[in-house]
Amino acid sequence: MTDAGLKKALRVKTFIENLTFSKGQWQGQQFKLLPWQWEKVIAPAFGTIREDGNRQYRYVYVEIPKKNGKTEIGAAIALYMLCADKEGKPEIYSAAGDKEQAGLVYSAAAEMVKHSPDLKHLKILDSRKRIINPRNSGFYQVLSSESELQHGLSPSGIIFDELHAQQTDRLYNVLTSGTDYARKQQLVIVLTTAGIYDKNSIWWKIRTRAQQIDQGIIEQANFLPVLYIADPEKDDPSDEGLWKRVNPSLGQIFTLDKIREDYEAVKHDPVEFQNFLRFRLNIPIKSLSRWMPMDKWDKCNGAVDIEYLRGRTCYGGLDLASKIDLAAFVLVFPPEQEGGVWDIVCKFYCPEDGILKRSRVDKVNYDIWEKQGFLTATPGNVIDYEFIKKDILLASKDYDLREIGFDSWNATQTATDIMNELNPSSSEDGFQMVEMRQGAKTFNEPAKDLLVHVMTGKVRHRGDPVLRWNADNLVMRADANGNVAPDKQKATDKIDGLVALIMAWGRAMQKPAPVRSAYEGLTVAQIKERMAF
């Protein structure tokens, strides 16, 4: 680095270290660049200059595990480029997969502005996620893949947060393709953790390029790779030396003991362990396939005492996603004693005309399951929802059925009919049909809670073969924060029963069942039998 380059980099360092941290234990304290932030990002990105004095690097790709300070440094860089980069009418954008994620860098930047006397001239427009600099007619704006975008933007700086969460390359291309022609030294900074492997995703393409440049396989003079990643083929996820190598803020933002705690908590949990690989070690995962550990699932196949369940509080889940293949109605009975076992009762439906194809062509045991009573075949080539409504009404008589969560796809009219039967006055205290959005916000908590109960043997599903087939097919998609939801597109086959189960579980988690004696409603003979057991 030349003396002139170092001077430019130190100018950025001075600006940033006059800001204050926006949150956490250091909120309000003066910003202090961590060694990796200065040595690997700020110094080379702003201090490596061409002969004409402009920056050499247009692209800076930083892949680093969560909680290492990337949001704060992203916000600080955005403010520098808005205020002190000597760019005419600067346009700074922070971009991400959704509005909430895109707003994280903005929120940090806005908080820094509020606590910096030197930046009091900036105008914060929270309603628009925008910061305006009247002195140079520049602005900083949040964008997400949900935004209505048009070509013609002229960004001088782009902070791209969690690139792996981009479903397409549209937003990245709109912001970067040809947008530097009117800018002398446009800077595109990607700050991301690892994602789920998809060779066609924009994240994987940019990541691969960064690795190839870092390894000297290809050359691209305007691209700076900063990679804190583990090698899934060579590195041991339990190696504390690896933890230190890929988490450069360890010992400054968090401790080694914290990673130890995280590792011990997840090493036997297949879903959370994959999140540990992604978010703590930056190891991409191929998918969240085989989400349900089937050996643990099969150990929960105890018989369900239907007679004992009569009158018990329960919650339902209804998935009518397909009229031509499979539909599911699942009941969940929370335990009446703390730490008890959750009982699951299922009903599955398919059109009678589809059984032959599924059995002979697709080698799925619909014919056997129908004969065994685990699957109801309705006449014709589509499912007759009247059979399902009849079973729901019957369940409301046999059990204390409080709510049914449902996916509105193909189910709105059925849900209306059931409400009209069971709660015609729509009383808030009566039975409810609850529409549940099919996303991570709805499914994450109940899905993970269900998994914990399966892992600890606190579920009883009587070995229902259709539900087991669905569980074995289940694939989860994850958002940028590791929140999960069933992915029907990537599942190996039908998962409607598990979707219905998770919806029912979610409703049960919201309103736990009232506690009653384990022997309530039993005859003396039944009580003696249970006590003897």
Side-chain angles (χ1 to χ4, degrees):
M1 183 182 301
T2 65
D3 289 343
L6 179 59
K7 184 177 180 181
K8 286 177 177 288
L10 287 172
R11 184 169 181 269
V12 180
K13 183 175 186 285
T14 299
F15 178 93
I16 290 176
E17 293 191 338
N18 275 309
L19 300 172
T20 59
F21 287 106
S22 69
K23 60 183 178 181
Q25 58 183 313
W26 298 284
Q27 183 178 18
Q29 297 181 30
Q30 189 169 356
F31 202 117
K32 179 67 175 176
L33 285 172
L34 298 174
W36 75 268
Q37 293 172 332
W38 164 248
E39 296 168 8
K40 299 295 185 181
V41 180
I42 299 300
F46 289 90
T48 307
I49 58 175
R50 303 191 302 252
E51 290 183 0
D52 63 3
N54 290 320
R55 287 188 291 266
Q56 174 179 315
Y57 293 116
R58 181 190 176 199
Y59 302 97
V60 179
Y61 179 88
V62 182
E63 185 165 317
I64 191 167
K66 281 184 174 294
K67 303 304 179 184
N68 275 277
K70 65 181 178 63
T71 299
E72 296 285 307
I73 191 64
I77 292 173
L79 290 176
Y80 170 81
M81 299 192 72
L82 176 63
C83 299
D85 202 33
K86 298 182 179 180
E87 184 75 30
K89 294 184 178 180
E91 294 181 23
I92 315 301
Y93 297 96
S94 64
D98 57 52
K99 292 178 181 178
E100 183 176 355
Q101 185 67 43
L104 294 180
V105 174
Y106 164 82
S107 297
E111 197 66 25
M112 290 175 183
V113 170
K114 293 174 184 176
H115 292 88
S116 177
D118 293 338
L119 301 181
K120 62 183 180 181
H121 61 286
L122 299 182
K123 295 182 179 179
I124 300 172
L125 304 178
D126 272 331
S127 62
R128 298 172 61 188
K129 295 289 189 293
R130 190 180 182 97
I131 300 175
I132 296 174
N133 186 351
R135 292 181 180 176
N136 60 16
S137 300
F139 62 84
Y140 164 43
Q141 178 67 55
V142 169
L143 292 176
S144 75
S145 55
E146 301 167 346
S147 305
E148 291 295 329
L149 297 176
Q150 295 181 351
H151 290 274
L153 301 177
S154 182
S156 53
I158 301 160
I159 311 295
F160 222 113
D161 196 19
E162 301 297 11
L163 185 62
H164 70 85
Q166 292 294 310
Q167 299 298 311
T168 71
D169 59 5
R170 176 174 172 266
L171 179 58
Y172 187 85
N173 288 340
V174 167
L175 288 173
T176 63
S177 296
T179 58
D180 61 325
Y181 280 69
R183 300 291 184 180
K184 290 183 178 180
Q185 48 179 3
Q186 182 191 75
L187 187 60
V188 180
I189 298 182
V190 173
L191 302 167
T192 189
T193 49
I196 297 175
Y197 168 74
D198 178 356
K199 67 179 181 179
N200 296 314
S201 71
I202 184 63
W203 162 70
W204 187 258
K205 292 175 182 177
I206 302 298
R207 182 189 210 258
T208 300
R209 184 188 306 169
Q211 288 179 295
Q212 291 174 334
I213 294 170
D214 187 57
Q215 295 165 9
I217 298 173
I218 63 173
E219 293 184 3
Q220 185 174 336
N222 68 348
F223 193 113
L224 174 64
V226 182
L227 303 174
Y228 290 96
I229 61 179
D231 186 333
E233 302 297 327
K234 299 178 181 179
D235 291 327
D236 177 2
S238 67
D239 180 7
E240 294 190 359
L242 171 65
W243 301 349
K244 296 175 184 178
R245 174 165 62 82
V246 300
N247 289 277
S249 299
L250 194 153
Q252 295 159 316
I253 294 181
F254 53 88
T255 65
L256 185 60
D257 284 342
K258 182 65 177 76
I259 302 186
R260 286 192 188 113
E261 290 174 9
D262 289 348
Y263 177 76
E264 290 299 322
V266 305
K267 64 182 182 181
H268 299 303
D269 184 326
V271 174
E272 293 301 334
F273 185 67
Q274 292 189 82
N275 285 335
F276 181 85
L277 295 179
R278 285 180 66 193
F279 300 138
R280 273 280 159 248
L281 304 181
N282 264 349
I283 295 178
I285 58 176
K286 290 185 178 180
S287 72
L288 294 179
S289 58
R290 291 305 295 265
W291 185 79
M292 184 63 70
M294 297 310 296
D295 58 332
K296 300 293 186 181
W297 177 269
D298 290 339
K299 290 180 180 179
C300 297
N301 64 352
V304 175
D305 189 339
I306 298 296
E307 288 302 315
Y308 177 64
L309 294 180
R310 293 191 185 280
R312 282 267 303 274
T313 296
C314 64
Y315 298 83
L318 182 65
D319 192 320
L320 307 181
S322 174
K323 295 188 70 172
I324 62 173
D325 195 343
L326 191 70
F329 170 47
V330 177
L331 292 174
V332 166
F333 296 79
E336 296 172 311
Q337 306 295 329
E338 186 176 351
V341 176
W342 294 57
D343 284 302
I344 299 171
V345 175
C346 309
K347 292 281 188 178
F348 290 93
Y349 310 85
C350 73
E352 192 173 53
D353 292 354
I355 287 183
L356 185 62
K357 176 183 181 299
R358 290 297 269 157
S359 303
R360 294 185 178 179
V361 179
D362 299 333
K363 306 300 181 183
V364 180
N365 297 325
Y366 276 32
D367 54 344
I368 297 174
W369 295 335
E370 192 260 341
K371 290 177 182 177
Q372 292 175 336
F374 293 106
L375 180 63
T376 299
T378 70
N381 57 8
V382 296
I383 296 172
D384 185 347
Y385 288 168
E386 291 301 319
F387 282 75
I388 301 175
K389 287 191 284 187
K390 180 180 178 182
D391 282 340
I392 291 174
L393 296 178
L394 182 62
S396 71
K397 295 177 182 178
D398 289 341
Y399 316 116
D400 178 17
L401 179 56
R402 300 290 182 87
E403 296 180 355
I404 295 177
F406 70 98
D407 176 2
S408 62
W409 182 260
N410 280 342
T412 303
Q413 186 57 53
T414 300
T416 301
D417 293 344
I418 294 169
M419 274 295 289
N420 289 339
E421 287 278 354
L422 298 183
N423 189 3
S425 63
S426 298
S427 169
E428 292 184 1
D429 297 328
F431 168 85
Q432 300 294 325
M433 293 293 296
V434 181
E435 181 178 345
M436 301 184 72
R437 295 184 62 184
Q438 304 297 289
K441 186 175 182 180
T442 299
F443 281 92
N444 179 65
E445 187 175 354
K448 291 181 177 178
D449 192 65
L450 168 63
L451 182 62
V452 168
H453 281 76
V454 171
M455 296 290 289
T456 55
K458 296 297 184 180
V459 170
R460 190 163 42 219
H461 52 63
R462 69 173 181 166
D464 187 296
V466 190
L467 189 64
R468 186 194 189 281
W469 175 58
N470 282 194
D472 199 26
N473 292 332
L474 184 62
V475 170
M476 290 290 197
R477 65 178 184 273
D479 65 14
N481 297 310
N483 299 314
V484 299
D487 192 333
K488 289 189 174 183
Q489 281 67 45
K490 293 184 179 179
T492 56
D493 212 314
K494 305 300 291 182
I495 61 172
D496 306 75
L498 260 290
V499 172
L501 171 57
I502 295 170
M503 288 193 288
W505 199 279
R507 298 319 306 164
M509 287 177 66
Q510 297 296 320
K511 300 178 179 179
V515 176
R516 74 171 185 177
S517 168
Y519 302 107
E520 183 179 330
L522 299 181
T523 64
V524 172
Q526 288 173 321
I527 292 174
K528 288 181 178 179
E529 181 181 352
R530 284 180 179 271
M531 292 179 70
F533 175 78

